[in-house]
Amino acid sequence: MTDTTSGTDEGQVSTSRRIAAIVEPAIEWLIRLCGFSAIFFVFGIFFFVFSSGADFIMNRLDVVEFMTSPEWYPTSVSNKRYGTLALVAGTLSVTTLAMMIAVPFGLGTAVFISEFCDGPFKEALKIIVEFLAAIPSVVWGFIGLAIMNPVIIDVFNAPIGLNVLNGGVILGLMSVPIIVSIGEDALKAVPDTYREASLALGATKWQTVYKVLFPAARSGLLAAVLLGVGRAIGETIAVLMATGHAVQIPNSPLDSVRTLTATIAAELGETAQGGDHYQALFAIGVLLFIFTFAVNLTADLLVRGIKNK
Amino acid sequence: MSDLAKKKIEVSGLSVSYGGVTALDSISLDVYEHEILSIIGPANAGKTTFLNCINRMIDSIPDARVQGTVKIDGDDVRQVRDVNALRRRIGMVFPLPVGLPMSIYDNVAYAPRMAGKTDKTRLDELVERCLRQSALFDEVKDRMGDLGTKLSGGQQQRLTIARALSMEPEILCLDEFSIAVDPVTTMRIEEVLKELRKEVTIVLVTNLVQQAKRLADRTALFLDGKLIELDSNEIIFSRRTADQRTFQYVQGLFG
């Protein structure tokens, strides 16, 4: 502004300042509200899940049995058992296998898209990967049931193809697009100057990837992997269809299992609302909640640890 | 410089265009062994492109078209099979300091390690020598394990120079290295470069005309991708320039 400011200019300035003085705090509060709502919803959901099973959890649940017994007989007339060990084993085995598939494939694809291809091919690949993420989980379950099942029976000579292997492969494929898109974002966020500096020092492209880009993007890559884990733990319908639905601790990848999520999905509709079985399923919900919370917390602590290093 | 001096880099008819836009227009010049050649010129004169042609970083720019030849010790760089080996012979320092996301020690040891040199004692020696050469050693000797990216801008730039020296390059290319560095550090780095000249050939792209005058044996003026004039500093920084524009640019009367 020049020094020949007229009175009307000053008037306009002060008016817009007055408006800003009202609008800015309002927007600030709106944003603050959005932030708090996230906390509210998380606690709200946890409260709802816990309170739906609270009576049973507090009064009649044998916590030792719940955590350590593989026997889940909620509908038995004479001998009701609420042990989740087999279900936890089911979830962990399927998730572990899924991650063994999804992490190398996902990160590999992310590196390939981000560093080794360009032009229309890169764009096409990204779109296809995103399309993979858009396939509904029931379709994945159908693939497990209708395609993977006979293939596994044929290849491994297994009595049944609905098992840890099937569920793990399906879940792994479902987690890949998440790992790819978040991992690719993380790699893209590494400044090009790092790549140039490394290449100019005579490092090869691959050396640049694992010596410079991986460390530089590690918090983002870790987030990608853990979001993939989160998806795998939380996924329900696809594993329900692909894992065979047998409550047992698996001895091999060819054993059928049942996961925590599948148990809730399959049984909740069959229970009397408010009954012990019904509330036990909510206890499983609390357990799942704790699992995912632990995964996220670990991720957070790891990322913080890396940043402070 | 006398004709007896060995030609380290021979550039002839070098033209580069990015998607049809000319960045370098048939540049021909020679760089002699153990000299400091500085390249001055306004923005978009093609100075950085010129450096990128020497170590073939131009390869990674998708729509760049390169014509003409760049020879190092008589060998055409574009015929070189192992581009990584070529790049290890040429140290490169970029305008903004780039500390790689690893420790100070690892930053300097990066290139030798990538080239397969992993002997711990020799790496220790090498890292110390490079850091001493770039006048950084005394400031970081007690915290070699700290992240290179946590150093100040001036320190990171000296780290970058140490890293560029880690492969014992024959040629050192510096691209406006003093942009993000305070004057005191700049002077220290300039002293370092004068020392290094005994061992390496230096191509110094700079925005600072006075820096070219202080450091270089010869200076080239680039303008819009063309080489306007290349001569010894005595001529370039005098009234006897062959081209009027050189005189104007050096005097700051340009444009």
Side-chain angles (χ1 to χ4, degrees):
Chain A
M1 202 168 286
T2 61
D3 50 359
T4 56
T5 316
S6 68
T8 51
D9 270 357
E10 273 171 12
Q12 275 168 1
V13 167
S14 65
T15 312
S16 66
R17 280 220 183 116
R18 265 202 294 277
I19 293 171
I22 299 164
V23 171
E24 279 181 21
I27 291 174
E28 201 181 308
W29 270 104
L30 197 69
I31 293 169
R32 197 168 286 174
L33 205 67
C34 294
F36 280 127
S37 73
I39 300 172
F40 172 78
F41 285 126
V42 169
F43 278 102
I45 290 168
F46 184 74
F47 178 77
F48 169 76
V49 171
F50 186 79
S51 66
S52 297
D55 175 41
F56 175 73
I57 294 170
M58 306 299 272
N59 300 323
R60 293 187 296 285
L61 178 67
D62 180 351
V63 176
V64 176
E65 181 194 78
F66 186 72
M67 298 305 292
T68 60
S69 164
E71 295 175 337
W72 177 257
Y73 303 134
T75 52
S76 164
V77 181
S78 57
N79 189 20
K80 283 191 171 38
R81 285 265 192 277
Y82 297 103
T84 58
L85 189 64
L87 306 177
V88 171
T91 290
L92 290 184
S93 59
V94 175
T95 305
T96 307
L97 184 63
M99 284 304 111
M100 283 163 65
I101 295 165
V103 171
F105 267 89
L107 292 184
T109 312
V111 168
F112 179 69
I113 291 180
S114 157
E115 305 302 321
F116 291 93
C117 63
D118 46 39
F121 183 58
K122 177 177 185 166
E123 294 309 311
L125 208 55
K126 279 170 78 171
I127 290 167
I128 292 169
V129 168
E130 271 156 31
F131 184 73
L132 209 58
I135 297 175
S137 55
V138 68
V139 174
W140 283 110
F142 180 73
I143 292 170
L145 204 58
I147 299 173
M148 294 282 294
N149 183 22
V151 169
I152 291 173
I153 291 173
D154 273 4
V155 173
F156 294 98
N157 210 9
I160 184 167
L162 301 174
N163 48 30
V164 174
L165 179 64
N166 193 333
V169 171
I170 292 293
L171 264 192
L173 292 177
M174 291 176 76
S175 305
V176 161
I178 294 179
I179 297 179
V180 172
S181 55
I182 297 173
E184 202 241 337
D185 283 346
L187 289 169
K188 202 164 61 187
V190 178
D192 274 340
T193 51
Y194 284 9
R195 293 179 181 84
E196 284 166 16
S198 175
L199 290 176
L201 284 164
T204 64
K205 237 175 163 181
W206 176 236
Q207 288 172 330
T208 304
V209 167
Y210 76 81
K211 282 289 184 187
V212 176
L213 298 184
F214 277 177
R218 56 189 163 183
S219 56
L221 294 175
L222 192 69
V225 168
L226 286 161
L227 280 166
V229 173
R231 162 131 216 211
I233 290 181
E235 174 50 42
T236 306
I237 193 70
V239 282
L240 176 65
M241 292 165 80
T243 53
H245 219 59
V247 183
Q248 60 174 337
I249 296 174
N251 290 317
S252 89
L254 296 174
D255 284 348
S256 295
V257 291
R258 197 208 280 187
T259 65
L260 292 164
T261 50
T263 303
I264 298 176
E267 295 182 3
L268 195 59
E270 311 293 323
T271 59
Q273 189 168 357
D276 277 3
H277 185 190
Y278 176 89
Q279 295 195 29
L281 292 177
F282 277 94
I284 291 182
V286 173
L287 191 64
L288 264 176
F289 212 94
I290 293 169
F291 273 8
T292 44
F293 180 73
V295 169
N296 281 320
L297 190 69
T298 315
D300 214 48
L301 292 176
L302 280 173
V303 169
R304 268 167 217 273
I306 286 165
K307 280 201 180 127
N308 290 339
K309 199 184 153 191
Chain B
M1 189 153 285
S2 76
D3 291 337
L4 294 170
K6 188 178 165 243
K7 285 176 185 171
K8 188 70 186 172
I9 310 173
E10 296 165 77
V11 180
S12 60
L14 183 67
S15 297
V16 178
S17 62
Y18 299 115
V21 181
T22 303
L24 278 184
D25 191 359
S26 49
I27 301 279
S28 298
L29 60 84
D30 297 329
V31 185
Y32 297 106
E33 194 154 41
H34 301 313
E35 77 164 336
I36 298 182
L37 174 80
S38 72
I39 299 173
I40 57 174
N44 282 324
K47 299 170 300 205
T48 302
T49 302
F50 180 78
L51 291 187
N52 282 339
C53 289
I54 296 178
N55 71 348
R56 283 203 23 206
M57 285 298 285
I58 196 93
D59 290 8
S60 52
I61 302 170
D63 57 352
R65 266 193 78 223
V66 185
Q67 288 170 303
T69 56
V70 177
K71 288 181 181 173
I72 295 177
D73 293 336
D75 298 324
D76 188 346
V77 295
R78 288 171 73 198
Q79 307 298 325
V80 168
R81 287 262 171 87
D82 186 356
V83 67
N84 302 309
L86 172 77
R87 286 173 184 162
R88 287 195 284 269
R89 293 168 63 195
I90 305 164
M92 187 67 131
V93 177
F94 297 99
L96 296 174
V98 186
L100 291 173
M102 48 184 85
S103 73
I104 294 168
Y105 183 96
D106 290 343
N107 258 284
V108 183
Y110 179 72
R113 276 182 181 152
M114 291 301 102
K117 294 179 189 167
T118 50
D119 183 69
K120 180 84 176 83
T121 22
R122 284 179 60 191
L123 274 182
D124 285 351
E125 277 171 29
L126 181 77
V127 169
E128 180 175 338
R129 180 160 51 79
C130 293
L131 286 171
R132 279 191 194 285
Q133 276 181 321
S134 64
L136 184 63
F137 185 73
D138 291 335
E139 286 163 57
V140 300
K141 63 184 172 197
D142 300 323
R143 49 186 179 124
M144 297 285 259
D146 284 11
L147 266 183
T149 42
K150 293 251 167 93
L151 294 173
S152 76
Q155 287 173 326
Q156 278 198 48
Q157 192 60 301
R158 278 177 283 158
L159 179 64
T160 315
I161 291 173
R163 209 172 54 201
L165 295 174
S166 66
M167 285 312 298
E168 296 167 342
E170 302 152 33
I171 299 165
L172 186 61
C173 297
L174 299 107
D175 191 356
E176 297 176 3
F177 72 87
S178 51
I179 267 185
V181 180
D182 65 274
V184 178
T185 309
T186 301
M187 295 314 281
R188 292 180 68 177
I189 296 176
E190 287 185 11
E191 291 307 313
V192 171
L193 294 179
K194 283 182 195 162
E195 276 298 305
L196 282 172
R197 187 166 111 198
K198 292 169 198 154
E199 293 153 44
V200 298
T201 305
I202 297 175
V203 181
L204 173 74
V205 163
T206 178
N207 264 340
L208 307 172
V209 172
Q210 290 308 312
Q211 190 171 58
K213 187 176 178 183
R214 282 195 297 268
L215 281 179
D217 301 294
R218 296 188 305 153
T219 294
L221 174 69
F222 279 26
L223 218 53
D224 296 329
K226 292 190 182 69
L227 174 63
I228 301 301
E229 187 169 355
L230 166 59
D231 216 324
S232 70
N233 270 14
E234 279 168 41
I235 303 291
I236 295 286
F237 295 96
S238 73
R239 294 182 166 276
R240 292 171 286 137
T241 57
D243 195 298
Q244 183 64 19
R245 285 171 292 180
T246 309
F247 178 74
Q248 287 174 335
Y249 187 82
V250 168
Q251 298 297 318
L253 303 171
F254 199 79

